[in-house]
Amino acid sequence: MTDVRLTLATEPAYPDRPNEDFIGATSNAVVLLDGAGTPAGLQSGCSHGVAWFSHTLGSTLVAGITQNAGPLTEILASGIKETAAQHDTCDLDHPGTPSAIVVMLRRTGDTLDWLILADSVLVLDIIGAEPMVICDERESIVGKRYRGPMNEAIGGTPQHSDALSVYISAMRGHRNIDGGFWVAATNPHAAEQALTGSAPVDQIRTAAMLSDGASRLVDRFHLATWRQCLDLLEHDGPDVLIRRVRAAERSDLDGSRWKRGKIFDDATAAYWTFA
């Protein structure tokens, strides 16, 4: 087995708020979750909150991936089911029940397997080729129908907050249904809708896993290419990547340059070197 090195960093959008992202690792796997935040005034039917959900499911998946050598979809489905059982008296049928984006990456012998559910990003640095960028874009495609009023409002204003709530309410109607988009919530069948794949480890130099709060440096702000992002992770580490994101967010506090639902977002990055 070749030597490996894994570096991780995660930071909440605001110091006084819980981080709804989760990152966990074993000697041969990494699990990243990005919890779907609920704006003030919108109900979720859950007494625990999004951070509890993403951290509980994430911890369950880390445990599962060490105990189960089966398909990643099977591990995710089991994790969703186990986490749902811990909701106690929560309303699991509520359209706003907590949910999360999931990325799982596991090395088994000479093979690297991955799973992505919703719009976090996995970037594979393929030896002798351009980076392979893997992202489940179904949520983004659906969201384009509803983003107009939110994009027109000035970030940080009550109008923007109201438009964000309307946007999220509309998106809830498309969550975990055919023709919509899929996330990890309470239905274990969502795992079957995840994007999955595998590749020989000897063809991959490094892998980066990014929540959408970290990948926005490239895919929303366009301040770096994916190659430059990988180089930044290699030479400076995930914490510097997140600092670059924060600097960009602070430079555009009203969202006039980069239209986005959240001016600041929880940001998480993992960088795994194989060669």
Side-chain angles (χ1 to χ4, degrees):
M1 179 179 294
T2 55
D3 292 336
V4 299
R5 181 171 60 91
L6 176 64
T7 52
L8 312 168
T10 185
E11 183 178 284
Y14 301 94
D16 59 343
R17 298 184 188 178
N19 190 343
E20 295 174 343
D21 285 359
F22 169 90
I23 186 75
T26 72
S27 60
N28 68 334
V30 185
V31 174
L32 184 154
L33 275 73
D34 181 352
T38 302
L42 283 185
Q43 300 300 312
S44 70
C46 176
S47 61
H48 300 94
V50 174
W52 172 89
F53 174 77
S54 61
H55 291 201
T56 301
L57 176 57
S59 300
T60 301
L61 294 177
V62 170
I65 212 167
T66 64
Q67 301 165 5
N68 185 344
L72 296 179
T73 51
E74 178 182 297
I75 297 169
L76 177 55
S78 178
I80 292 172
K81 186 176 181 180
E82 290 181 34
T83 303
Q86 298 184 53
H87 271 283
D88 301 321
T89 59
C90 301
D91 180 5
L92 301 187
D93 293 324
H94 193 286
T97 192
S99 63
I101 297 161
V102 179
V103 184
M104 302 171 70
L105 192 61
R106 178 183 64 190
R107 179 176 182 172
T108 305
D110 296 328
T111 301
L112 191 68
D113 300 314
W114 63 82
L115 175 150
I116 299 181
L117 187 65
D119 60 355
S120 286
V121 178
L122 171 64
V123 186
L124 301 179
D125 189 0
I126 307 297
I127 295 174
E130 290 299 310
M132 178 187 295
V133 182
I134 307 166
C135 181
D136 179 356
E137 297 182 341
R138 286 171 290 187
E139 182 174 0
S140 176
I141 292 171
V142 173
K144 288 179 180 179
R145 308 178 199 174
Y146 303 106
R147 294 187 66 91
M150 184 174 62
N151 288 343
E152 292 173 3
I154 298 173
T157 63
Q159 292 78 14
H160 186 270
S161 297
D162 291 344
L164 175 61
S165 295
V166 171
Y167 171 79
I168 290 177
S169 295
M171 292 294 285
R172 286 176 174 180
H174 298 272
R175 189 177 71 171
N176 286 0
I177 62 171
D178 291 334
F181 62 94
W182 296 82
V183 292
T186 60
N187 183 356
H189 296 298
E192 301 170 3
Q193 301 294 326
L195 305 182
T196 59
S198 61
V201 174
D202 63 8
Q203 294 182 7
I204 301 172
R205 197 175 70 86
T206 64
M209 302 166 68
L210 307 170
S211 69
D212 62 358
S215 68
R216 55 172 41 183
L217 185 74
V218 178
D219 55 22
R220 183 168 297 277
F221 299 160
H222 304 293
L223 295 176
T225 64
W226 291 116
R227 168 54 62 196
Q228 290 169 336
C229 178
L230 290 172
D231 291 344
L232 176 63
L233 288 166
E234 178 174 5
H235 297 295
D236 299 308
D239 55 336
V240 173
L241 170 65
I242 293 174
R243 287 206 297 269
R244 294 276 183 91
V245 171
R246 293 287 179 254
E249 291 167 334
R250 287 192 297 270
S251 74
D252 184 44
L253 293 177
D254 62 359
S256 59
R257 181 177 180 184
W258 300 298
K259 305 297 183 182
R260 55 200 192 274
K262 301 175 182 177
I263 297 301
F264 294 92
D265 195 6
D266 299 336
T268 301
Y271 187 65
W272 198 354
T273 302
F274 301 100

